[in-house]
Amino acid sequence: MPDPTQLTLTQVRQQLADKTLSASEVTAAALARIQATEPKVQALLSVQAEEATAQAKALDARGPDPAAPLWGVPLVVKDVLATKGTPTTCGSKILENFRPVYDATAVARLKEAGAIILAKANMDEFAMGSTTENSAYFATRNPWDATHVPGGSSGGSGATVAACQAYGALGTDTGGSIRLPASFCGIVGLKPSYGRVSRFGMVAYGSSLDQIGPMTRSVEDAARLLQVIAGHDERDSTSVDAPVPDYVAALSARTDLKGLTLGLPAEYWDKGLSPEVAEACRAAVNQAEALGAKTVPVNLRLSQYAIATYYIIAVAEASSNLARFDGVRYGYRDHDAQSLIEMYVKSRTKGFGEEVQRRIILGTYVLSSGYYDAYYRKAAQVRRLIRQDFEAALAQCDLIAGPVCPTTAFKAGQMTDDPLQMYLMDIFTISTNLAGLPGMSLPVGLGRDSGLPVGLQLTGRAFDEARLLQVAGVLEKSVPATGLPSL
């Protein structure tokens, strides 16, 4: 029998429904794949093999359920999402023994749809990083080349999908943390509009920026996952009560790109790109034109301020959100402290990694008396202007197209000593989060020089994920296939 792990989510879902494969067979194949590839990739922080096997057997006993769109499909979720009774560490020592008593809404919806949660994916600690080297436990490697990073902070989610350990994964995106690893690992990654997916049960980094989204091996797979997790949740005050379109049906509504206008911002195309990224992304845009799309230049002049704006707002919110981890109520506690203040200091110093401490200190500074107006308030004002910049650009086009990152995946350890250079890797993705818009990474082939995947970023109007998926679905059939890494 062919290896079921090489199938896409859509393909395995159909075979499960047809009873060509059983949930137990698919789950066993995925667990075997994890065992074979995990020593090289190191994508997963914990694997729930017994629980997944038991769930698969229970599903088989009842038989396929047409009302459960993900019946029997093994998936992985990023370890920043609460999972009832199983570890949720956020890649941090401070939460190494934390086991939630509830599921995040997105996880609960996957389970209600019949999905089997195999494992929790490794990540940069509290989602702070672009390489998944900031995990307190170990660094994840890129399945295409283990000497390179998989991107971050959802690098474990990206690597596990690319390595065919699971049929899809959930990641989170605060400034590009779904799209960057999707680009580096050669898969599809979608960051929905802010408010489209409930954030309940996600351990917060930047509350006004964070969003949960799917990471898959095809556009249709992403549509199927988004269909399940999207929608209003009364437990999340930032969740928007808006109708959720039929994303899967929307894919078949378009077979070409006639009548579509793509905006090409000079700020994304004119400088700073490696030649192989520029070549692959330009070829994808040319293919869009061959399929009938029109391209127009648009301006995102304020994107030059996005990095500074993001790293004021995000760290300020992180400083506030992470104040709860004090060693008192839950999480790591230092037992050698002789006073309450000393216990706070030692617990947080030993429990948090260097990057998290750096961002907490920066966030506390920009929120402090005398600096709030100069930094945080000004950043909030610039953020509003950045959104207006996008709205003006999207009034001239349907979608904005550009590269996800200036380079393909870089060598592990290459930027660990230069955090400022690392922050610049998100230069094309951060603005989308600041504006609250949907964005996705579509693999468009391998770099001519590196042989590593390249991702094209598409950004759309708020809550217009259906159009993003439509266009990406058409392009996916026409651009060079990235394929799968050989492991």
Side-chain angles (χ1 to χ4, degrees):
M1 183 178 72
D3 183 356
T5 64
Q6 305 300 301
L7 300 172
T8 65
L9 183 154
T10 299
Q11 290 168 338
V12 79
R13 173 184 172 275
Q14 188 60 53
Q15 293 203 22
L16 285 165
D18 295 341
K19 297 187 179 182
T20 307
L21 288 170
S22 69
S24 294
E25 288 172 329
V26 172
T27 300
L31 290 171
R33 178 70 175 177
I34 288 172
Q35 188 173 20
T37 59
E38 189 59 8
K40 181 177 181 180
V41 180
Q42 294 187 287
L44 306 174
L45 283 171
S46 62
V47 180
Q48 286 75 53
E50 291 184 8
E51 296 90 333
T53 301
Q55 185 184 350
K57 288 180 179 178
L59 289 173
D60 284 334
R62 294 194 298 268
D65 182 358
L70 297 175
W71 188 92
V73 178
L75 301 173
V76 167
V77 298
K78 187 176 179 180
D79 206 29
V80 74
L81 300 175
T83 46
K84 184 178 181 179
T86 58
T88 299
T89 70
C90 297
S92 179
K93 180 180 179 180
I94 210 162
L95 285 177
E96 61 183 344
N97 296 315
F98 177 54
R99 291 174 180 260
V101 296
Y102 63 94
D103 283 322
T105 295
V107 174
R109 288 178 176 175
L110 292 181
K111 291 181 177 180
E112 289 166 5
I116 296 171
I117 307 301
L118 284 179
K120 302 297 288 294
N122 194 23
M123 56 182 286
D124 286 301
E125 185 179 5
F126 284 102
M128 298 181 191
S130 302
T131 64
T132 318
E133 294 174 293
N134 289 335
S135 170
Y137 302 99
F138 46 81
T140 297
R141 301 305 184 193
N142 193 314
W144 290 86
D145 186 333
T147 66
H148 288 67
V149 301
S153 62
S154 305
S157 296
T160 197
V161 173
C164 298
Q165 295 176 345
Y167 296 95
L170 293 188
T172 65
D173 193 310
T174 307
S177 290
I178 286 175
R179 289 158 289 159
L180 186 66
S183 177
F184 281 7
C185 293
I187 63 171
V188 175
L190 172 60
K191 182 203 85 71
S193 307
Y194 186 78
R196 173 59 86 189
V197 177
S198 171
R199 294 170 48 252
F200 179 81
M202 178 175 71
V203 181
Y205 161 25
S207 299
S208 72
L209 301 160
D210 299 334
Q211 191 61 189
I212 301 166
M215 303 179 75
T216 60
R217 295 202 293 270
S218 78
V219 173
E220 184 173 354
D221 292 356
R224 292 186 183 279
L225 277 188
L226 182 61
Q227 193 74 58
V228 169
I229 63 174
H232 178 62
D233 178 12
E234 62 183 13
R235 293 175 296 181
D236 174 14
S237 62
T238 64
S239 172
V240 175
D241 190 1
V244 177
D246 187 332
Y247 297 118
V248 179
L251 294 178
S252 59
R254 183 183 280 275
T255 57
D256 58 36
L257 300 182
K258 293 176 181 177
L260 182 92
T261 302
L262 290 178
L264 305 181
E267 294 81 3
Y268 289 10
W269 290 93
D270 285 356
K271 58 183 178 181
L273 287 183
S274 70
E276 63 177 356
V277 169
E279 179 182 282
C281 288
R282 181 62 67 179
V285 171
N286 290 343
Q287 186 58 41
E289 290 179 316
L291 291 165
K294 175 185 175 183
T295 58
V296 297
V298 294
N299 293 311
L300 294 175
R301 297 184 182 90
L302 291 174
S303 62
Q304 62 182 304
Y305 303 111
I307 293 283
T309 301
Y310 173 85
Y311 279 103
I312 290 173
I313 291 174
V315 300
E317 294 182 0
S319 172
S320 176
N321 282 324
L322 271 61
R324 72 194 70 178
F325 303 112
D326 53 14
V328 176
R329 290 156 288 191
Y330 55 87
Y332 174 79
R333 177 187 293 187
D334 183 85
H335 294 286
D336 297 327
Q338 301 301 308
S339 69
L340 183 62
I341 296 300
E342 186 180 5
M343 188 269 289
Y344 287 156
V345 173
K346 286 189 173 181
S347 297
R348 288 169 67 81
T349 300
K350 295 178 182 179
F352 289 135
E354 184 177 302
E355 182 62 27
V356 174
Q357 292 184 42
R358 179 185 294 118
R359 297 194 192 196
I360 289 173
I361 291 169
L362 284 171
T364 304
Y365 177 79
V366 302
L367 289 175
S368 61
S369 177
Y371 296 100
Y372 178 91
D373 286 336
Y375 293 105
Y376 187 79
R377 184 187 298 276
K378 184 61 67 177
Q381 292 169 338
V382 174
R383 178 184 189 170
R384 184 179 71 251
L385 295 176
I386 288 172
R387 181 179 177 94
Q388 291 173 355
D389 227 12
F390 269 98
E391 289 171 349
L394 287 165
Q396 304 171 52
C397 61
D398 299 298
L399 300 175
I400 293 171
V404 173
C405 184
T407 69
T408 54
F410 43 86
K411 290 273 189 179
Q414 182 176 329
M415 296 189 184
T416 52
D417 295 329
D418 190 350
L420 293 180
Q421 186 64 29
M422 184 83 73
Y423 296 166
L424 290 174
M425 290 298 102
D426 297 330
I427 191 167
F428 299 139
T429 56
I430 277 174
S431 297
T432 308
N433 297 77
L434 290 169
L437 302 177
M440 70 183 300
S441 174
L442 175 71
V444 290
L446 302 177
R448 171 173 38 88
D449 302 320
S450 67
L452 295 172
V454 177
L456 178 75
Q457 180 175 220
L458 298 173
T459 303
R461 301 183 184 109
F463 300 99
D464 198 11
E465 289 85 1
R467 192 194 306 263
L468 271 183
L469 290 162
Q470 273 186 347
V471 173
V474 173
L475 267 179
E476 182 181 50
K477 298 179 177 67
S478 302
V479 297
T482 301
L484 297 170
S486 56
L487 287 169

